[in-house]
Amino acid sequence: TNPSFIFTMSGFTFYEIFRFYYAEIAEKKIPIISWQHGCNYGVSYFTVNKSPEEKYLDKFLTYGWKEKKNDIPMFIYQKNYPTSKAIKEKILIVLDGIPFQNHGFNIYLNNDLYKKNMAIFFDALNKKLKIKLLLKPHPKTDGRNIDNLKYWRSFKFYKKNFIRIKNDKRSIPLLKRYSRITVHTTEGTAFYQDISINSPCIMILKNGLEFIRPAARPLFKMMIKKGIIFEDYKKAAKKINEIYENVDTWWESKDVKDMVKLFRNKYARKESKPIE
């Protein structure tokens, strides 16, 4: 009832009762500290119920960025993906779902447009690469996302068993053991984790730069210029066609390496001694 302070990473995100509790704590002037839950805080206008965290907390620990006085640049907390001797020949596609939070746009129309754009992406891939796809749908199992899963399974190359669809919440680290490169089609935590551990990847911005915050746009435009982030689905597919045979050479090239490092330092910082 009267703690010295409160520390949370997810209380605001999914727990309505906690928000009422926080209101009582705030009236008592008790400090509250939160660490970035994940997602695209500091980058996008629309995050999982981010407003009370960024606006009202005494301190908000981030993955490296700072916008306001109470933002404290820290680092992304995660373990490296387990190493494996498996042959890395697959292309992992991290798919988006229909969010269950409120957003300032029509999420259903947005999802329909996204699926059409993904069809364009798949169509633009080289034929030999279409048989190497691993699709990771959104893990939430509500009716709307189950409909999404049915849609992905309707593609003709899935029916021919050319690709595999894995809907397990825990499957991204497992799938990455077999993946040469990851294509993120949702601006979520998984992209920033890949950047932090220096794992080859690209990202397609579902809504382009429209919902990217002004403070983040210059760096995003630089990532677009270097061919790591895309607004155009067809151009993203062409990039995969171009680099697939030499992904590591592309990823370790000086231009890409320097750009990824610059992006990592702000939005997915690594810390070798996190406890210290």
Side-chain angles (χ1 to χ4, degrees):
T1 54
N2 289 290
S4 299
F5 68 93
I6 295 174
F7 177 76
T8 179
M9 289 161 55
S10 58
F12 286 100
T13 312
F14 303 113
Y15 196 22
E16 194 69 21
I17 293 175
F18 179 85
R19 298 188 196 123
F20 281 94
Y21 169 64
Y22 168 61
E24 292 184 1
I25 291 298
E27 289 175 351
K28 295 178 181 180
K29 308 296 183 184
I30 294 173
I32 184 161
I33 304 166
S34 185
W35 200 333
Q36 181 173 339
H37 174 72
C39 303
N40 47 6
Y41 292 81
V43 170
S44 176
Y45 287 122
F46 301 104
T47 308
V48 183
N49 301 318
K50 55 92 184 172
S51 300
E53 286 177 276
E54 291 191 50
K55 189 170 183 179
Y56 298 111
L57 295 186
D58 294 271
K59 294 187 186 300
F60 185 61
L61 311 184
T62 77
Y63 287 171
W65 55 272
K66 181 178 178 67
E67 273 192 8
K68 300 175 182 177
K69 187 177 180 180
N70 64 336
D71 294 335
I72 309 297
M74 296 288 283
F75 51 88
I76 188 170
Y77 50 88
Q78 67 162 49
K79 295 180 179 179
N80 287 338
Y81 292 124
T83 57
S84 172
K85 295 181 180 180
I87 298 175
K88 291 181 173 290
E89 62 175 15
K90 301 296 184 180
I91 301 170
L92 176 59
I93 313 290
V94 180
L95 298 166
D96 202 3
I98 304 179
F100 60 90
Q101 299 85 16
N102 293 322
H103 287 277
F105 56 90
N106 189 315
I107 58 175
Y108 300 103
L109 289 178
N110 189 262
N111 185 63
D112 288 342
L113 179 60
Y114 166 71
K115 291 192 289 189
K116 290 176 183 177
N117 283 329
M118 284 305 299
I120 292 172
F121 171 84
F122 291 134
D123 189 56
L125 286 174
N126 287 341
K127 187 176 180 180
K128 66 178 182 178
L129 298 186
K130 290 181 180 179
I131 65 174
K132 300 180 183 297
L133 300 182
L134 287 172
L135 270 57
K136 175 64 181 70
H138 198 276
K140 294 196 177 298
T141 55
D142 58 45
R144 298 171 298 181
N145 284 304
I146 289 174
D147 285 343
N148 261 5
L149 182 58
K150 291 178 182 177
Y151 175 79
W152 303 125
R153 285 175 172 163
S154 71
F155 280 98
K156 59 184 178 182
F157 49 83
Y158 172 73
K159 290 181 178 179
K160 293 180 180 179
N161 294 318
F162 286 168
I163 65 173
R164 295 186 66 186
I165 296 179
K166 301 290 286 186
N167 199 33
D168 189 335
K169 289 182 180 180
R170 302 161 295 177
S171 62
I172 286 183
L174 176 63
L175 296 177
K176 286 187 72 67
R177 296 181 183 183
Y178 307 95
S179 304
R180 187 172 297 188
I181 188 170
T182 303
V183 180
H184 297 273
T185 67
T186 170
E187 193 196 332
T189 310
F191 172 70
Y192 299 96
Q193 289 176 336
D194 272 356
I195 291 293
S196 75
I197 64 172
N198 200 37
S199 178
C201 62
I202 67 170
M203 178 169 68
I204 308 172
L205 288 175
K206 186 176 177 181
N207 300 291
L209 290 170
E210 181 181 0
F211 297 148
I212 300 299
R213 299 186 193 186
R217 285 185 185 180
L219 201 50
F220 269 69
K221 287 179 179 179
M222 292 169 66
M223 291 280 278
I224 290 170
K225 188 175 181 180
K226 296 297 182 183
I228 305 167
I229 292 179
F230 294 84
E231 295 182 274
D232 186 286
Y233 286 75
K234 186 176 287 187
K235 287 182 179 179
K238 289 180 178 179
K239 187 68 177 181
I240 296 298
N241 294 338
E242 172 192 329
I243 67 175
Y244 174 79
E245 297 294 343
N246 298 287
V247 166
D248 290 336
T249 302
W250 164 75
W251 188 253
E252 293 299 325
S253 64
K254 188 177 187 309
D255 281 356
V256 172
K257 193 173 183 177
D258 290 349
M259 187 68 251
V260 169
K261 183 179 179 181
L262 188 64
F263 190 89
R264 180 188 301 121
N265 285 341
K266 187 164 187 180
Y267 295 114
R269 279 192 61 233
K270 288 284 286 182
E271 176 52 64
S272 59
K273 298 179 179 179
I275 303 301
E276 292 182 20

